[in-house]
Amino acid sequence: MKKSKTILDIQRLYSEGQKITMLTAYDYPMARLLDRSGIDIILVGDSLGTVVAGHDTTLPVTLDEMIYHTRSVARGTSNAVLVADLPFLSYQVDIPEARRSAGRLVKEGCAQAVKLEGGVHVQETIRAIVDMDVPVMGHVGLTPQSVHRMGGFRVQGRQEEQAEKILADARAVEEAGAFSIVLEGVPMDLARQITAELHIPTIGIGAGVHCDGQVLVTHDMIGLCDKFAPKFVKKYVDLDEILGRAFSAYIEDVRNGSFPDDDHSFK
Ligand code: KIV
């Protein structure tokens, strides 16, 4: 599908001081809806592991699963920039594998850019992927693929030493050539400092208002998730409840014989 927006448009929004909007999608219908609504970036996040597949973490998600979902999203995306996550174990072992994984997300998944988690320790990996002309979005702070090191999904960078480390990670991501960076689960003052220092757009999730853009997991903001919702999630609609009512109404209609009626039957 032809894309009208590219990472150059994201850079333009950034240099014009306009906020960048990003939401996640994992399938064609959600991609269509987001694309039509004018979102700047659609992220096929490995959060699909939790909100679509029902896992407790993103760790079980495979590269093949990411490619499948990214292709589906690509078919529904004609305007937004399409970014796909490199899942756990598709880029950590060595650089050739990371390049191949990134290449597959672009070649088979039709992504325009890839996102990966980490800072200083993945700097060379980011550089190597950027060198093969695949744009990279970084991701620092609360990095869900490091859940076991972090001891859970908790805000990062509250202590000075931790904050310094996150700042160093963000610098490393920028130096490696990433076109933008997600700041997740960090105090807003730290996000403000990183945003002021970097020359690439910061996209925040649970990082306060000072970032250059914002992202949420779509299933969280539309109320289609049974998991604990963190404080930073704003629920714009409660689809759990709305869809639950629709399904109950259907069951009732079938059971009492009012569906299908004449309007929904062939004469
Ligand atoms: O996987 C994902 O959806 C993400 C966003 C939370 C940024 O990485």
Side-chain angles (χ1 to χ4, degrees):
M1 180 148 306
K2 192 180 163 315
K3 301 279 184 307
S4 55
K5 272 200 186 127
T6 72
I7 65 157
L8 300 186
D9 295 290
I10 302 306
Q11 280 156 357
R12 182 182 47 77
L13 289 175
Y14 173 62
S15 54
E16 289 172 355
Q18 293 191 51
K19 291 278 188 187
I20 296 159
T21 57
M22 178 159 102
L23 283 169
T24 61
Y26 316 104
D27 57 23
Y28 171 80
M30 196 62 82
R32 258 187 63 244
L33 281 169
L34 288 176
D35 200 58
R36 271 201 323 221
S37 68
I39 199 87
D40 298 312
I41 304 175
I42 295 180
L43 171 69
V44 187
D46 60 355
S47 51
L48 68 86
T50 52
V51 299
V52 173
H55 297 298
D56 289 334
T57 72
T58 58
L59 298 178
V61 177
T62 67
L63 182 61
D64 284 335
E65 286 166 351
M66 287 305 302
I67 291 169
Y68 170 82
H69 285 278
T70 305
R71 278 171 88 109
S72 308
V73 169
R75 288 184 211 109
T77 307
S78 56
N79 186 42
V81 176
L82 180 53
V83 180
D85 265 346
L86 280 165
F88 180 63
L89 218 54
S90 70
Y91 62 96
Q92 287 92 344
V93 175
D94 60 31
I95 287 181
E97 188 179 18
R99 285 164 66 110
R100 193 164 295 109
S101 302
R104 286 191 65 200
L105 280 175
V106 172
K107 190 183 177 89
E108 300 171 44
C110 307
Q112 288 163 281
V114 301
K115 177 166 80 59
L116 59 88
E117 297 180 10
V120 173
H121 66 286
V122 290
Q123 188 176 30
E124 289 315 312
T125 306
I126 295 177
R127 219 189 295 279
I129 296 172
V130 170
D131 277 353
M132 58 185 240
D133 288 340
V134 173
V136 173
M137 178 180 280
H139 184 159
V140 301
L142 192 173
T143 45
Q145 292 175 17
S146 314
V147 58
H148 297 313
R149 172 182 56 75
M150 296 182 302
F153 299 104
R154 50 184 77 230
V155 175
Q156 302 293 298
R158 282 202 160 120
Q159 291 83 23
E160 187 148 345
E161 197 183 325
Q162 223 182 32
E164 283 301 326
K165 189 184 168 304
I166 294 170
L167 185 56
D169 281 339
R171 288 185 186 128
V173 167
E174 175 175 40
E175 276 167 25
F179 78 99
S180 63
I181 183 169
V182 168
L183 306 181
E184 178 166 357
V186 296
M188 57 193 291
D189 280 347
L190 177 59
R192 184 194 353 226
Q193 192 187 347
I194 295 173
T195 302
E197 193 178 306
L198 298 196
H199 302 92
I200 55 173
T202 58
I203 301 182
I205 172 164
V209 73
H210 302 294
C211 298
D212 301 303
Q214 295 292 329
V215 57
L216 282 176
V217 170
T218 298
H219 283 55
D220 289 340
M221 59 89 78
I222 62 176
L224 206 53
C225 188
D226 63 346
K227 306 235 169 6
F228 162 78
K231 169 185 164 148
F232 61 77
V233 171
K234 179 170 174 185
K235 206 188 267 189
Y236 284 80
V237 61
D238 192 349
L239 280 194
D240 246 18
E241 201 219 306
I242 294 172
L243 294 181
R245 268 194 271 122
F247 299 147
S248 300
Y250 166 78
I251 292 165
E252 175 73 15
D253 283 358
V254 171
R255 284 185 181 155
N256 69 25
S258 59
F259 178 83
D261 53 13
D262 281 357
D263 287 348
H264 299 93
S265 303
F266 299 108
K267 296 266 158 61

